[in-house]
Amino acid sequence: MRLSILDQSPISSNQTPRDALNWSMKLAQAGEAFGYTRYWIAEHHDLSGLACPAPEVMLSYIGAHTNRIRLGSGAVLLPHYRPYKVAETFNMLATLFPNRIDLGIGRAPGGSSEAMTALSGNFIKNVGNFPTLVRDLLHFINDDFPTDNEYSKLSASPIPENPPEIWLLGTGEKSAILAAEHGLPYTFGHFMSNYDGAPIVKKYIDTFRPSKEGETPQVIVTVNVICGETTEKAEEVAASYLIWSLQMDKGKAHQGVPSISEAKQYTLNEQEKETLKKMRQNMIIGNPHEVKQKLFELKAKYEADEMMINTITYLPEDRIRSYELIAKEVFQKDIT
């Protein structure tokens, strides 16, 4: 089974944003050493506790400090931008780091309504135009606009030898259908979807239309995972993320991811207890054997080619250790 990393670049309560971003780079280096296939970093705007609004900047920094692992955006939020600029940026990355760049695209706002307005002026209109934005982006990346198109003589230079691999990210049927129509690989956000994702992914696979000969559907499923040496250790470490998620939902996460002791001191009301119960249903928390078993179960349920893991802990060392334990268990090899 192929494993990959999704990084939201979380800021813990004892960190600065610079600390968090430097730990993101260290996570990518660790993922490369552990044998992970990809490292993707997410885009968020003015959200307390998340440090990265510009994946393209971090990818250039991380690319210069790694050698083999594929690097990508999870995702560039396309309604905020013009496709030409996105194509230029990722063609530049693909030129600098040949055959290593993924361009994950999504339609989520990634922040507040004020951030949406500041970024793109009319986000709602742009979301409605998302299929056209995707089509134009593909033409710019492939450098193949029809001759009668106004952009036919325009290239998103530099044109790399190996173009970025475009992935469409989503949590619902619309994104799955759009990916299938364009023959794009698809990433389903199990960790943030309110839907039963397996039928959605099945629809993508069944309706996939290759844009080039030999193309087949490709599926990544992203899931929240926290792994510890023991189940008890994993549960203890997970407390920070769970309480922080509650605080995020209430707009009270300004101090960042709380420590384990701070999380233990948090008093839950009945509604919060129910919320945490639902959150845990979309997570995997356990020792290496338990995590491996559940990852394989999810992979089979979704008919996925690859599992992408999102892990948030208070201590960055616990986060890297979680990825290490999973890799050792799944790949069945020593990691030095």
Side-chain angles (χ1 to χ4, degrees):
M1 176 167 61
R2 294 199 304 269
L3 296 176
S4 289
I5 295 170
L6 175 66
D7 180 14
Q8 294 181 308
S9 204
I11 308 169
S12 293
S13 60
N14 66 338
Q15 290 181 327
T16 65
R18 185 171 188 266
D19 293 331
L21 292 170
N22 277 323
W23 274 108
S24 286
M25 185 269 288
K26 292 175 184 178
L27 175 60
Q29 290 177 318
E32 181 170 84
F34 299 158
Y36 283 80
T37 299
R38 312 169 203 274
Y39 166 92
W40 286 1
I41 189 164
E43 174 184 330
H44 296 96
H45 299 281
D46 194 34
L47 286 182
S48 298
L50 299 176
C52 181
E56 64 276 15
V57 176
M58 279 303 294
L59 293 177
S60 63
Y61 176 59
I62 290 169
H65 290 85
T66 53
N67 298 300
R68 299 178 307 280
I69 193 168
R70 291 193 67 89
L71 304 173
S73 53
V76 166
L77 304 177
L78 192 57
H80 291 314
Y81 311 110
R82 298 290 292 174
Y84 180 59
K85 181 58 178 176
V86 175
E88 283 187 320
T89 299
F90 277 79
N91 275 351
M92 182 79 170
L93 287 167
T95 300
L96 289 168
F97 310 111
N99 205 31
R100 292 181 61 198
I101 298 299
D102 297 327
L103 170 49
I105 53 175
R107 72 175 91 206
S112 66
S113 58
E114 292 84 358
M116 288 190 291
T117 301
L119 281 162
S120 52
N122 196 335
F123 178 82
I124 301 301
K125 178 182 177 182
N126 293 342
V127 165
N129 200 34
F130 188 68
T132 300
L133 296 176
V134 171
R135 182 200 64 201
D136 287 351
L137 177 64
L138 286 168
H139 280 308
F140 280 126
I141 291 295
N142 295 324
D143 202 25
D144 65 355
F145 270 102
T147 55
D148 60 348
N149 188 279
E150 62 178 316
Y151 299 133
S152 62
K153 296 180 180 179
L154 181 64
S155 292
S157 302
I159 304 299
E161 184 175 340
N162 297 294
E165 188 172 274
I166 298 180
W167 288 76
L168 190 60
L169 281 64
T171 58
E173 192 171 274
K174 282 185 179 180
S175 57
I177 292 171
L178 186 62
E181 287 176 350
H182 287 286
L184 291 173
Y186 181 57
T187 301
F188 183 79
H190 174 86
F191 74 112
M192 59 185 296
S193 178
N194 296 320
Y195 300 107
D196 180 3
I200 294 172
V201 171
K202 184 71 163 59
K203 188 169 186 88
Y204 160 75
I205 294 171
D206 290 345
T207 60
F208 182 86
R209 296 198 310 233
S211 59
K212 298 176 184 176
E213 186 177 350
E215 285 183 338
T216 58
Q218 297 182 68
V219 175
I220 293 176
V221 173
T222 306
V223 59
N224 279 337
V225 182
I226 294 178
C227 185
E229 286 85 355
T230 65
T231 305
E232 292 74 22
K233 175 64 174 177
E235 292 284 354
E236 181 181 61
V237 170
S240 293
Y241 169 74
L242 291 167
I243 296 303
W244 177 69
S245 296
L246 285 177
Q247 294 172 333
M248 287 277 285
D249 288 344
K250 293 184 171 184
K252 297 180 179 179
H254 305 298
Q255 300 303 314
V257 181
S259 67
I260 294 172
S261 61
E262 290 169 334
K264 287 180 176 179
Q265 293 169 15
Y266 188 91
T267 302
L268 295 166
N269 60 38
E270 289 305 313
Q271 183 179 356
E272 289 172 330
K273 289 178 183 178
E274 188 62 29
T275 299
L276 283 188
K277 183 179 178 180
K278 291 179 180 177
M279 285 174 52
R280 292 174 64 90
Q281 291 174 354
N282 264 13
M283 288 186 68
I284 298 175
I285 303 172
N287 63 48
H289 176 73
E290 292 167 335
V291 168
K292 177 183 177 180
Q293 183 178 13
K294 291 176 182 176
L295 282 172
F296 272 95
E297 288 173 1
L298 266 184
K299 180 180 184 295
K301 175 183 176 181
Y302 277 100
E303 301 181 61
D305 301 287
E306 188 173 325
M307 299 301 292
M308 180 169 278
I309 295 169
N310 178 47
T311 298
I312 293 178
T313 63
Y314 171 71
L315 291 176
E317 293 90 349
D318 285 339
R319 186 160 64 132
I320 289 177
R321 180 61 172 159
S322 178
Y323 283 107
E324 180 182 11
L325 291 169
I326 295 167
K328 283 182 176 179
E329 185 70 19
V330 171
F331 302 145
Q332 291 293 300
K333 65 178 182 180
D334 291 331
I335 296 170
T336 57

